[in-house]
Every structure is written in C-alpha cells, then in structure tokens.
Amino acid sequence: VILDAFKIDIDLVLYRVFKLNLFMFVVSHWVGCLWFMMASLSKEVGYSENWLDADETNPSLFISHSDYGGFSVYLRSVYWAVVGMSTVGYGDIVPTNNLETFYATIVILFGGLLLPAIVGGLAAYMSSFHKTEKLFHKRITKVRQYLLKINAKQSVREKCQRYFDYHWYCQGGVIEQDVSD
C-alpha cells in the first residue's frame, strides 16, 4: 500500500524532471540557434570577426565547425547557450563584437532569471505534493481511529483501507468536494 503511493510519488517526480529537462533543452536549442545566427548577422552588418571565426582560430581548441556535417557548430552553440543561461560563463566561447555582446548580455540576464524560476517551481510543486500527501494520510488516520473507536469489524477496516488506497492511486489524494467548494 505504502509502496504504491511511493511509486506514484516517484512517477510524478520523474515526469516533472523529464518535462523540466525537455523544456531546458528546447530553450537551449533556440538560444543556441540564435547565437549561431548572431555570427552570420555580424558579417552582414559589417563586423570583421565573429565568435565562429574566433572559435576556429583559437589554437588551444583545435575545433573545426565543419566536423560531423556541421553538427559541431550546433553543439558549440548549444553549449554556449547552456553555459550562458546558467551564468557559469567559462569564457571559452566569447562574443567578439557589439552585436554578439548585446545578445550575450540578454541571454545571461534572462537565463539567470529563467533557471532559478524553473527550479523554484519544481521545488514548490514537490512541497505542495507532500502537503497533499500528508493531509490525505491525516484523513486516513482519523478514519482508522474512528473505526477502532466503534469496534468495526476487521473486514470493514480492510475495505476502508482498500478504498483509500484506490482513491490515492486514482486521484492522488484529491477529494473532489474540496476542489469544487
């Protein structure tokens, strides 16, 4: 019985973590794609160098953006997005002109707000889930105490326990009357 509730708790947590990681991947993908676009746009605007040129000519990296059919440049762009949004900023991929610097500043500012907001939302969800679980178990305890007080048969107590187990499994402890009030 307790294992089933624990399994549901773990399933919901894994689902939320999966959604969080998927969201972060999608955001990183788009920020990385726009970072790549900044390099192309820099040349169009008239800057003589962009981050792609600086990245390939750095003798300590030995990077060719044409490796793996161009996937290498995508990988470097997404890597920069993750590093920039997490505000770690290793400094191995840096903006080389004003356009790239402006974009990098925007990404760092909003990424610095986005990541804590997502993690904070997940933490709030976890605490509210445990609050629901505690309230549900408190209700079960009250019912058990009442059944013992009135000397209900063992079969009646077991049926009540199975009902609450089923209710937790199907609705996660939410009582419809509480929601509709």
Side-chain angles (χ1 to χ4, degrees):
V1 175
I2 294 173
L3 290 177
D4 286 340
F6 184 69
K7 182 180 180 290
I8 292 169
D9 188 18
I10 295 237
D11 288 347
L12 288 172
V13 170
L14 290 176
Y15 174 72
R16 291 286 180 165
V17 168
F18 174 76
K19 276 181 50 176
L20 171 68
N21 285 319
L22 181 64
F23 179 72
M24 287 303 295
F25 175 76
V26 169
V27 169
S28 298
H29 164 79
W30 284 108
V31 170
C33 287
L34 288 171
W35 178 242
F36 175 73
M37 186 183 86
M38 287 299 127
S40 303
L41 196 57
S42 293
K43 291 286 186 176
E44 294 293 323
V45 172
Y47 289 108
S48 61
E49 190 178 32
N50 59 31
W51 74 267
L52 282 171
D53 297 335
D55 201 36
E56 277 197 338
T57 57
N58 186 339
S60 65
L61 295 178
F62 302 108
I63 290 178
S64 171
H65 291 137
S66 60
D67 287 350
Y68 307 109
F71 184 73
S72 177
V73 71
Y74 171 77
L75 189 61
R76 294 287 286 172
S77 298
V78 171
Y79 163 79
W80 176 87
V82 170
V83 168
M85 287 190 304
S86 65
T87 65
V88 172
Y90 291 124
D92 53 346
I93 302 173
V94 295
T96 60
N97 56 54
N98 288 336
L99 181 64
E100 292 173 355
T101 303
F102 175 74
Y103 180 71
T105 303
I106 298 297
V107 168
I108 290 169
L109 285 175
F110 286 107
L113 296 174
L114 179 70
L115 189 61
I118 291 171
V119 172
L122 186 60
Y125 164 76
M126 290 302 299
S127 70
S128 71
F129 183 78
H130 289 301
K131 181 180 177 184
T132 303
E133 184 180 11
K134 285 179 184 177
L135 286 172
F136 187 73
H137 286 295
K138 189 175 181 179
R139 285 186 177 147
I140 292 173
T141 303
K142 284 182 180 181
V143 170
R144 282 184 192 149
Q145 289 172 350
Y146 176 74
L147 291 174
L148 288 172
K149 181 179 177 181
I150 65 168
N151 293 324
K153 293 181 182 178
Q154 178 68 23
S155 61
V156 173
R157 292 193 309 245
E158 288 173 0
K159 284 180 184 178
C160 284
Q161 183 62 48
R162 283 196 306 268
Y163 167 75
F164 282 116
D165 291 343
Y166 173 77
H167 191 270
W168 179 259
Y169 180 75
C170 291
Q171 296 178 343
V174 176
I175 304 221
E176 294 170 6
Q177 182 180 355
D178 292 348
V179 175
S180 63
D181 286 344

PDB file of all heavy atoms in Angstrom, residues 11 17-18 22 25 33 44 55 66 81-82 85 92 102 118 148 156 159 174 177:
ATOM      1  N   ASP A  11       6.880   8.456  -9.762  1.00  0.00           N
ATOM      2  CA  ASP A  11       6.471   8.632 -11.152  1.00  0.00           C
ATOM      3  C   ASP A  11       6.199  10.100 -11.464  1.00  0.00           C
ATOM      4  O   ASP A  11       6.615  10.603 -12.500  1.00  0.00           O
ATOM      5  CB  ASP A  11       5.223   7.799 -11.457  1.00  0.00           C
ATOM      6  CG  ASP A  11       5.513   6.305 -11.521  1.00  0.00           C
ATOM      7  OD1 ASP A  11       6.701   5.940 -11.579  1.00  0.00           O
ATOM      8  OD2 ASP A  11       4.556   5.515 -11.498  1.00  0.00           O
ATOM      9  N   VAL A  17      10.587  16.091 -13.693  1.00  0.00           N
ATOM     10  CA  VAL A  17      12.009  16.270 -14.013  1.00  0.00           C
ATOM     11  C   VAL A  17      12.225  16.110 -15.517  1.00  0.00           C
ATOM     12  O   VAL A  17      12.969  16.880 -16.134  1.00  0.00           O
ATOM     13  CB  VAL A  17      12.883  15.288 -13.206  1.00  0.00           C
ATOM     14  CG1 VAL A  17      14.303  15.259 -13.726  1.00  0.00           C
ATOM     15  CG2 VAL A  17      12.865  15.651 -11.733  1.00  0.00           C
ATOM     16  N   PHE A  18      11.554  15.136 -16.126  1.00  0.00           N
ATOM     17  CA  PHE A  18      11.653  14.952 -17.579  1.00  0.00           C
ATOM     18  C   PHE A  18      11.153  16.200 -18.301  1.00  0.00           C
ATOM     19  O   PHE A  18      11.799  16.690 -19.230  1.00  0.00           O
ATOM     20  CB  PHE A  18      10.855  13.721 -18.020  1.00  0.00           C
ATOM     21  CG  PHE A  18      10.792  13.556 -19.500  1.00  0.00           C
ATOM     22  CD1 PHE A  18      11.887  13.076 -20.209  1.00  0.00           C
ATOM     23  CD2 PHE A  18       9.645  13.906 -20.197  1.00  0.00           C
ATOM     24  CE1 PHE A  18      11.833  12.938 -21.594  1.00  0.00           C
ATOM     25  CE2 PHE A  18       9.590  13.775 -21.571  1.00  0.00           C
ATOM     26  CZ  PHE A  18      10.682  13.298 -22.270  1.00  0.00           C
ATOM     27  N   LEU A  22      13.341  18.599 -20.693  1.00  0.00           N
ATOM     28  CA  LEU A  22      12.908  18.827 -22.070  1.00  0.00           C
ATOM     29  C   LEU A  22      12.755  20.320 -22.344  1.00  0.00           C
ATOM     30  O   LEU A  22      13.207  20.828 -23.380  1.00  0.00           O
ATOM     31  CB  LEU A  22      11.594  18.095 -22.345  1.00  0.00           C
ATOM     32  CG  LEU A  22      11.043  18.227 -23.756  1.00  0.00           C
ATOM     33  CD1 LEU A  22      12.011  17.589 -24.766  1.00  0.00           C
ATOM     34  CD2 LEU A  22       9.675  17.590 -23.857  1.00  0.00           C
ATOM     35  N   PHE A  25      16.144  21.853 -22.641  1.00  0.00           N
ATOM     36  CA  PHE A  25      16.772  21.505 -23.915  1.00  0.00           C
ATOM     37  C   PHE A  25      16.206  22.361 -25.052  1.00  0.00           C
ATOM     38  O   PHE A  25      16.961  22.870 -25.882  1.00  0.00           O
ATOM     39  CB  PHE A  25      16.579  20.020 -24.231  1.00  0.00           C
ATOM     40  CG  PHE A  25      17.099  19.652 -25.585  1.00  0.00           C
ATOM     41  CD1 PHE A  25      18.457  19.509 -25.808  1.00  0.00           C
ATOM     42  CD2 PHE A  25      16.234  19.493 -26.653  1.00  0.00           C
ATOM     43  CE1 PHE A  25      18.956  19.201 -27.063  1.00  0.00           C
ATOM     44  CE2 PHE A  25      16.713  19.183 -27.916  1.00  0.00           C
ATOM     45  CZ  PHE A  25      18.079  19.039 -28.116  1.00  0.00           C
ATOM     46  N   CYS A  33      20.699  28.365 -31.400  1.00  0.00           N
ATOM     47  CA  CYS A  33      20.476  28.675 -32.820  1.00  0.00           C
ATOM     48  C   CYS A  33      20.571  30.180 -33.073  1.00  0.00           C
ATOM     49  O   CYS A  33      21.141  30.612 -34.082  1.00  0.00           O
ATOM     50  CB  CYS A  33      19.121  28.146 -33.277  1.00  0.00           C
ATOM     51  SG  CYS A  33      19.069  26.349 -33.442  1.00  0.00           S
ATOM     52  N   GLU A  44      27.030  40.201 -41.891  1.00  0.00           N
ATOM     53  CA  GLU A  44      26.129  41.000 -42.730  1.00  0.00           C
ATOM     54  C   GLU A  44      26.135  42.476 -42.324  1.00  0.00           C
ATOM     55  O   GLU A  44      26.054  43.354 -43.167  1.00  0.00           O
ATOM     56  CB  GLU A  44      24.697  40.453 -42.638  1.00  0.00           C
ATOM     57  CG  GLU A  44      24.507  39.073 -43.216  1.00  0.00           C
ATOM     58  CD  GLU A  44      24.687  39.046 -44.721  1.00  0.00           C
ATOM     59  OE1 GLU A  44      24.274  40.015 -45.400  1.00  0.00           O
ATOM     60  OE2 GLU A  44      25.239  38.047 -45.220  1.00  0.00           O
ATOM     61  N   ASP A  55      36.473  31.158 -32.569  1.00  0.00           N
ATOM     62  CA  ASP A  55      36.426  29.786 -32.059  1.00  0.00           C
ATOM     63  C   ASP A  55      37.315  28.861 -32.895  1.00  0.00           C
ATOM     64  O   ASP A  55      38.052  28.044 -32.357  1.00  0.00           O
ATOM     65  CB  ASP A  55      34.975  29.298 -32.072  1.00  0.00           C
ATOM     66  CG  ASP A  55      34.733  28.137 -31.139  1.00  0.00           C
ATOM     67  OD1 ASP A  55      35.340  28.100 -30.058  1.00  0.00           O
ATOM     68  OD2 ASP A  55      33.916  27.264 -31.482  1.00  0.00           O
ATOM     69  N   SER A  66      33.068  22.362 -39.240  1.00  0.00           N
ATOM     70  CA  SER A  66      32.520  21.504 -40.290  1.00  0.00           C
ATOM     71  C   SER A  66      32.532  20.022 -39.888  1.00  0.00           C
ATOM     72  O   SER A  66      32.008  19.188 -40.615  1.00  0.00           O
ATOM     73  CB  SER A  66      33.295  21.705 -41.596  1.00  0.00           C
ATOM     74  OG  SER A  66      34.655  21.371 -41.402  1.00  0.00           O
ATOM     75  N   ALA A  81      24.923  28.301 -25.067  1.00  0.00           N
ATOM     76  CA  ALA A  81      23.627  28.681 -24.507  1.00  0.00           C
ATOM     77  C   ALA A  81      23.464  28.153 -23.082  1.00  0.00           C
ATOM     78  O   ALA A  81      23.032  28.888 -22.184  1.00  0.00           O
ATOM     79  CB  ALA A  81      22.506  28.153 -25.400  1.00  0.00           C
ATOM     80  N   VAL A  82      23.826  26.909 -22.855  1.00  0.00           N
ATOM     81  CA  VAL A  82      23.703  26.322 -21.514  1.00  0.00           C
ATOM     82  C   VAL A  82      24.629  27.039 -20.533  1.00  0.00           C
ATOM     83  O   VAL A  82      24.229  27.397 -19.426  1.00  0.00           O
ATOM     84  CB  VAL A  82      24.001  24.807 -21.554  1.00  0.00           C
ATOM     85  CG1 VAL A  82      24.117  24.238 -20.157  1.00  0.00           C
ATOM     86  CG2 VAL A  82      22.931  24.070 -22.343  1.00  0.00           C
ATOM     87  N   MET A  85      23.200  30.706 -20.062  1.00  0.00           N
ATOM     88  CA  MET A  85      21.953  30.780 -19.294  1.00  0.00           C
ATOM     89  C   MET A  85      22.138  30.355 -17.847  1.00  0.00           C
ATOM     90  O   MET A  85      21.418  30.820 -16.968  1.00  0.00           O
ATOM     91  CB  MET A  85      20.866  29.932 -19.947  1.00  0.00           C
ATOM     92  CG  MET A  85      20.323  30.540 -21.210  1.00  0.00           C
ATOM     93  SD  MET A  85      18.874  29.697 -21.832  1.00  0.00           S
ATOM     94  CE  MET A  85      19.434  28.037 -22.012  1.00  0.00           C
ATOM     95  N   ASP A  92      35.225  30.207 -22.799  1.00  0.00           N
ATOM     96  CA  ASP A  92      35.890  29.611 -23.955  1.00  0.00           C
ATOM     97  C   ASP A  92      35.218  30.011 -25.265  1.00  0.00           C
ATOM     98  O   ASP A  92      35.841  29.996 -26.307  1.00  0.00           O
ATOM     99  CB  ASP A  92      35.970  28.090 -23.821  1.00  0.00           C
ATOM    100  CG  ASP A  92      34.630  27.438 -23.555  1.00  0.00           C
ATOM    101  OD1 ASP A  92      33.671  28.149 -23.220  1.00  0.00           O
ATOM    102  OD2 ASP A  92      34.540  26.206 -23.675  1.00  0.00           O
ATOM    103  N   PHE A 102      25.736  42.240 -27.086  1.00  0.00           N
ATOM    104  CA  PHE A 102      24.366  42.608 -26.716  1.00  0.00           C
ATOM    105  C   PHE A 102      23.512  41.348 -26.529  1.00  0.00           C
ATOM    106  O   PHE A 102      22.809  41.211 -25.528  1.00  0.00           O
ATOM    107  CB  PHE A 102      23.758  43.524 -27.782  1.00  0.00           C
ATOM    108  CG  PHE A 102      22.315  43.853 -27.539  1.00  0.00           C
ATOM    109  CD1 PHE A 102      21.959  44.751 -26.543  1.00  0.00           C
ATOM    110  CD2 PHE A 102      21.317  43.244 -28.284  1.00  0.00           C
ATOM    111  CE1 PHE A 102      20.627  45.047 -26.301  1.00  0.00           C
ATOM    112  CE2 PHE A 102      19.992  43.536 -28.046  1.00  0.00           C
ATOM    113  CZ  PHE A 102      19.641  44.442 -27.059  1.00  0.00           C
ATOM    114  N   ILE A 118      12.546  28.043 -12.866  1.00  0.00           N
ATOM    115  CA  ILE A 118      12.149  26.666 -13.169  1.00  0.00           C
ATOM    116  C   ILE A 118      12.439  25.761 -11.983  1.00  0.00           C
ATOM    117  O   ILE A 118      11.585  24.967 -11.566  1.00  0.00           O
ATOM    118  CB  ILE A 118      12.862  26.174 -14.444  1.00  0.00           C
ATOM    119  CG1 ILE A 118      12.317  26.915 -15.661  1.00  0.00           C
ATOM    120  CG2 ILE A 118      12.690  24.681 -14.622  1.00  0.00           C
ATOM    121  CD1 ILE A 118      13.091  26.670 -16.917  1.00  0.00           C
ATOM    122  N   LEU A 148     -11.729   2.081  14.887  1.00  0.00           N
ATOM    123  CA  LEU A 148     -11.306   1.376  16.106  1.00  0.00           C
ATOM    124  C   LEU A 148     -12.183   1.776  17.295  1.00  0.00           C
ATOM    125  O   LEU A 148     -12.518   0.936  18.141  1.00  0.00           O
ATOM    126  CB  LEU A 148      -9.836   1.668  16.410  1.00  0.00           C
ATOM    127  CG  LEU A 148      -8.820   1.008  15.474  1.00  0.00           C
ATOM    128  CD1 LEU A 148      -7.419   1.540  15.760  1.00  0.00           C
ATOM    129  CD2 LEU A 148      -8.866  -0.503  15.604  1.00  0.00           C
ATOM    130  N   VAL A 156     -14.352  -4.666   7.610  1.00  0.00           N
ATOM    131  CA  VAL A 156     -14.763  -3.292   7.289  1.00  0.00           C
ATOM    132  C   VAL A 156     -13.544  -2.379   7.257  1.00  0.00           C
ATOM    133  O   VAL A 156     -13.395  -1.551   6.359  1.00  0.00           O
ATOM    134  CB  VAL A 156     -15.806  -2.786   8.318  1.00  0.00           C
ATOM    135  CG1 VAL A 156     -16.106  -1.308   8.102  1.00  0.00           C
ATOM    136  CG2 VAL A 156     -17.075  -3.613   8.234  1.00  0.00           C
ATOM    137  N   LYS A 159     -11.661  -3.041   4.041  1.00  0.00           N
ATOM    138  CA  LYS A 159     -12.346  -2.454   2.883  1.00  0.00           C
ATOM    139  C   LYS A 159     -12.112  -0.934   2.827  1.00  0.00           C
ATOM    140  O   LYS A 159     -11.880  -0.379   1.755  1.00  0.00           O
ATOM    141  CB  LYS A 159     -13.845  -2.747   2.938  1.00  0.00           C
ATOM    142  CG  LYS A 159     -14.195  -4.159   2.563  1.00  0.00           C
ATOM    143  CD  LYS A 159     -15.687  -4.393   2.638  1.00  0.00           C
ATOM    144  CE  LYS A 159     -16.000  -5.864   2.348  1.00  0.00           C
ATOM    145  NZ  LYS A 159     -17.432  -6.141   2.463  1.00  0.00           N
ATOM    146  N   VAL A 174      -6.684  13.760  -3.925  1.00  0.00           N
ATOM    147  CA  VAL A 174      -7.532  14.936  -4.067  1.00  0.00           C
ATOM    148  C   VAL A 174      -8.981  14.519  -3.860  1.00  0.00           C
ATOM    149  O   VAL A 174      -9.466  13.584  -4.473  1.00  0.00           O
ATOM    150  CB  VAL A 174      -7.371  15.587  -5.467  1.00  0.00           C
ATOM    151  CG1 VAL A 174      -8.320  16.736  -5.652  1.00  0.00           C
ATOM    152  CG2 VAL A 174      -5.932  16.026  -5.657  1.00  0.00           C
ATOM    153  N   GLN A 177     -14.855  17.075  -3.521  1.00  0.00           N
ATOM    154  CA  GLN A 177     -15.649  18.060  -2.795  1.00  0.00           C
ATOM    155  C   GLN A 177     -14.784  19.256  -2.389  1.00  0.00           C
ATOM    156  O   GLN A 177     -15.219  20.392  -2.451  1.00  0.00           O
ATOM    157  CB  GLN A 177     -16.270  17.424  -1.552  1.00  0.00           C
ATOM    158  CG  GLN A 177     -17.165  18.368  -0.763  1.00  0.00           C
ATOM    159  CD  GLN A 177     -17.749  17.684   0.455  1.00  0.00           C
ATOM    160  OE1 GLN A 177     -17.566  16.503   0.657  1.00  0.00           O
ATOM    161  NE2 GLN A 177     -18.456  18.447   1.252  1.00  0.00           N
TER     162      GLN A 177
END
